[in-house]
Amino acid sequence: MTAWWRWYATLGVLGCLAYFAVPSNAWAQSIFIVVGASAVVATVIGTRMHRPRNRTTWLTIALGTGLWVVGDIVFEWIDVTRGSVPDPSLADVFYLVGYPIYGFGLFLLVRHEWRASERGHVANSAIVMVAFGLLTWVFAVQPSLGDGGISGTAGLVDVAYPAMDIFLLGLLAHFVGSRQWRTLSYRLLTVAVLLLVVTDIVNNFSIVSESPSDRSLVDAGWTMSYVLIGVAALHPSMRRIASSNIEPEAHLMASFTTPTVVVLTAATLTAPTVMFIEVIRDEPIAQWGWAVLLCASALVILVILRITDLLRLLHTQTVRLRAAADTDRLTGLANLRALEHRIWQNAGDTTLLTVDIDRFKEINDTFGRGLGDQVLVAVADRLRSIVDDSIMLARLAGDEFVLCGTTNSMDPTALAHEVQRQFAAPFEVGTMTLLIEASVGVASSLPTAEGEDEATPDRLVQRADLAVQAAKATQSRVAFYDRSMDRDTSAQLIMLGELTTALESDQLELLYQPQVDLDSMTVVGVEALLRWHHPSGTVLSPTAFLPTAERTGLIRPLTSHVLTRALAQRSLWAMGGLDLQIAVNISTRNLFDDTLIEQVRTALQEFHCPAERLTLEVTETSAMTDPVGATEMLTILHAMGVQVAIDDYGTGYSSLAYIERLPVQELKIDRAFVGGMAQDPAHAAIVRSTVELARTLGLSVTAEGVEDERTMTALRELRCGRAQGYHLGRPTSSDLLPTLVAELNARLKIATGERIS
């Protein structure tokens, strides 16, 4: 059934060609009438077949089209029986009645509801109608009337046709301004109206002369207009053209699209342009002055209405954007931006009470993020019940809420205990009943004992966070900020400064640990491991400084440094004949950093490294922090050709089936299971099941922590893909790695040969 519109379009085009191909004028007119009648039938059939919600509007369009076809029949009958058609004739009655009915159907098709937003589209149409009417009157109608003006019924009919075209052109502007323009049926109907208006203009003012056979190119315009109406009605998309329940502001915005603004600007300039042309042509003002004045006045009024609508739209959008910028999307509470603004408004007299849900991550891990979001909404609703308008309730991020007030508006001690009382009652979330605990931290921006005021929003929020962390260690779950809580922060600031210096100097070094293919027993890759040669003389592993880098944003340049160094070294090895896969670890913060993609792409291009030779390792926990966001980022990396591995698999909370949904190619089994598999049957079973399931899902497996020959042999028997560990090679510097790889390959070949023999 969906192919009917294609068949009808093909037959319609053939009908248009046949109209000009047949030798007899009578046959040509018959074809013209048949095409028009088929459009009416197609509209009725399309309405019954697709059952649109606005069925009446399509039937109204069919009625208007049918009246035109009847007019064609009457016109031909008069021409055949009398030899000529008088002006006016009975056919003009059907034609002129068909115009408003057809136009009314079009208007109903795009009418949403009569409201302020609809007024904008109508005003657009009116501006176009006035402008086109002015041009038609001054340059076409008035010259054709001569000095006698409009006289008798014939004169009225001659003016009525241009007036109907002006009416349809205004509806055309209404069509183009509608939000339903995306449907093909709607576009076809728009082209049909445009073709009809252009054909009428050409015909009414004799722009194209008729051929000797009384058939002209003008007739092709009417014929194709009929065909397009039928195709639009038969196309399946016609059922989607319906009144939508979107917001009035959205309709108002739709009437200010770029094409619409261009058309309205051109229409508004019509009156002064006409006046300028007439002055140049030295036409008597008496003939055209009143028309220009009348149209110019109408345009001014309509443009004022549109400017008023535009100002209202801008005001509404400004208010909404400001509200959206200050509102948390999930709970509808104020966000951090709004909280900071309130703190500044309180002018140094602010008390923050931070509420942090205990073990919220376990709720997400156990029941999923969907239920976790429901918990946050339930907590927000319960906190709303204990505050009034003088206290702002905000959600900062994750599971952290803040109550903000002044010393006069809130008693922090009483309010903290009220919060704990509210959390003592179970939460009904969906079909579940949950007991949820929370910690409360209180901080104030009142001047310190030394008279110093530190009431900046960042500082105050930080104090409240420190108090929350202290509250988690107390029995009451409530703590007030004091200066002793700042000590850890000072240590972090010192490390941050030292780490920044380390990036700019030569304190950071990459070591490389070999990865062995257990089938061929050769070294096929290395993992880049970062070490910090601290000025104190100790060598720090990433666990000592990466948390600070992630919290402060220093992780981005740190990752770029590691990626660049690793690929540069791989390039040097490759030029020396050692072509290895290289693995680089990325953190949780990297995984959700939009700049990571460009960092990887730039580094690969700079060092001419094939993308498939780079493996990015992400921990299982970081990938599961935000599975949707992780999937999006990893999908882009995979599309570039980069390999993705899940590091430390088995230590997180995800299942292998869920990992399989991520675009990863490799699992690295954590050393905690691999190192003990020779002594602990449970660990051996975990490794075995992981290898088998991963192989079934098409994932490669690398075992970490291979510390002895027995473990390596067990892994080979399990057909594990790769392995790394101290037994196969310790992390070593870049200059010593080629020697280590050569020695390890030789040793593995000898050991394998001894086993086989």
Side-chain angles (χ1 to χ4, degrees), residues 82 101-102 108 118 172 203 235 296 302 314 357 405-406 510 518 525 577 646 665 675 701 719 725 727 736:
R82 299 182 56 178
I101 294 177
Y102 181 82
L108 290 178
E118 186 70 15
L172 187 65
N203 180 73
H235 194 273
L302 290 171
L314 292 176
I357 301 175
T406 64
L510 286 182
L518 294 179
I646 296 295
Q665 296 77 48
V701 180
R719 295 174 59 197
H727 178 68
L736 297 179

Side-chain angles (χ1 to χ4, degrees), residues 48-93:
R48 292 176 61 86
M49 183 169 57
H50 299 304
R51 300 184 179 276
R53 285 183 292 174
N54 46 10
R55 202 174 309 177
T56 303
T57 64
W58 284 96
L59 296 178
T60 304
I61 292 173
L63 177 60
T65 308
L67 288 172
W68 288 338
V69 176
V70 173
D72 294 334
I73 296 172
V74 172
F75 184 92
E76 185 63 21
W77 176 73
I78 295 175
D79 187 37
V80 171
T81 57
R82 299 182 56 178
S84 63
V85 181
D87 185 18
S89 68
L90 180 61
D92 292 314
V93 175

Side-chain angles (χ1 to χ4, degrees), residues 226-237:
Y226 281 144
V227 173
L228 289 171
I229 292 171
V231 175
L234 289 174
H235 194 273
S237 64

Side-chain angles (χ1 to χ4, degrees), residues 334-655:
N335 59 15
L336 177 60
R337 182 178 182 273
L339 177 65
E340 290 176 343
H341 184 65
R342 174 63 68 89
I343 293 174
W344 285 119
Q345 281 184 329
N346 290 345
D349 182 13
T350 303
T351 298
L352 292 188
L353 197 140
T354 299
V355 180
D356 186 82
I357 301 175
D358 295 336
R359 296 181 297 281
F360 181 71
K361 184 178 180 300
E362 295 180 10
I363 296 176
N364 273 341
D365 295 347
T366 305
F367 303 108
R369 297 179 65 87
L371 189 130
D373 288 345
Q374 295 181 47
V375 169
L376 294 175
V377 173
V379 169
D381 291 339
R382 191 164 292 186
L383 291 177
R384 279 193 188 97
S385 66
I386 64 174
V387 299
D388 54 29
D389 294 339
S390 63
I391 299 175
M392 170 182 279
L393 176 60
R395 177 181 174 226
L396 294 190
D399 58 342
E400 194 172 53
F401 297 83
V402 172
L403 286 72
C404 174
T406 64
T407 53
N408 294 326
S409 64
M410 63 187 292
D411 179 351
T413 302
L415 193 58
H417 290 298
E418 176 61 22
V419 169
Q420 291 295 352
R421 191 182 69 81
Q422 290 291 328
F423 274 83
F427 285 80
E428 301 293 334
V429 182
T431 59
M432 305 181 64
T433 301
L434 300 176
L435 286 172
I436 301 174
E437 296 180 336
S439 300
V440 181
V442 181
S444 175
S445 64
L446 290 176
T448 63
E450 294 81 5
E452 179 187 6
D453 193 351
E454 300 177 351
T456 61
D458 286 344
R459 181 60 178 142
L460 188 57
V461 171
Q462 182 191 30
R463 288 177 176 178
D465 284 341
L466 291 173
V468 163
Q469 298 305 316
K472 292 181 180 294
T474 64
Q475 184 175 1
S476 65
R477 295 287 180 177
V478 176
F480 288 77
Y481 166 80
D482 62 60
R483 284 188 171 275
S484 63
M485 298 177 183
D486 286 334
R487 293 171 184 168
D488 291 339
T489 303
S490 300
Q492 291 178 10
L493 290 175
I494 293 173
M495 175 170 283
L496 176 61
E498 293 177 341
L499 188 55
T500 303
T501 303
L503 269 172
E504 298 171 352
S505 59
D506 197 25
Q507 299 178 18
L508 298 177
E509 179 189 16
L510 286 182
L511 301 180
Y512 302 91
Q513 185 170 32
Q515 295 178 334
V516 174
D517 185 293
L518 294 179
D519 184 27
S520 63
M521 293 302 287
T522 57
V523 177
V524 293
V526 292
E527 179 182 0
L529 302 171
L530 182 62
R531 297 293 183 266
W532 179 9
H533 294 273
H534 195 270
S536 64
T538 58
V539 178
L540 302 179
S541 66
T543 56
F545 55 86
L546 278 187
T548 299
E550 288 188 321
R551 283 193 295 270
T552 59
L554 197 61
I555 191 65
R556 181 184 295 177
L558 190 61
T559 301
S560 179
H561 174 85
V562 172
L563 190 62
T564 301
R565 284 284 190 91
L567 291 183
Q569 186 58 57
R570 186 206 168 276
S571 178
L572 293 176
W573 290 331
M575 287 189 290
L578 185 61
D579 187 13
L580 297 173
Q581 184 84 12
I582 190 161
V584 175
N585 292 276
I586 59 175
S587 72
T588 304
R589 185 77 172 267
N590 293 134
L591 192 57
F592 305 106
D593 184 357
D594 293 337
T595 65
L596 177 64
I597 301 297
E598 191 57 34
Q599 286 181 359
V600 173
R601 182 181 290 111
T602 301
L604 289 173
Q605 293 174 352
E606 180 179 357
F607 300 106
H608 308 288
C609 176
E612 63 273 10
R613 304 300 282 167
L614 171 64
T615 299
L616 294 181
E617 297 187 1
V618 297
T619 64
E620 178 185 2
T621 304
S622 66
M624 293 297 101
T625 299
D626 181 1
V628 176
T631 301
E632 181 179 351
M633 178 66 73
L634 296 180
T635 299
I636 298 174
L637 291 169
H638 179 55
M640 292 169 56
V642 175
Q643 303 299 297
V644 179
I646 296 295
D647 195 14
D648 299 337
Y649 180 75
T651 60
Y653 48 82
S654 63
S655 65

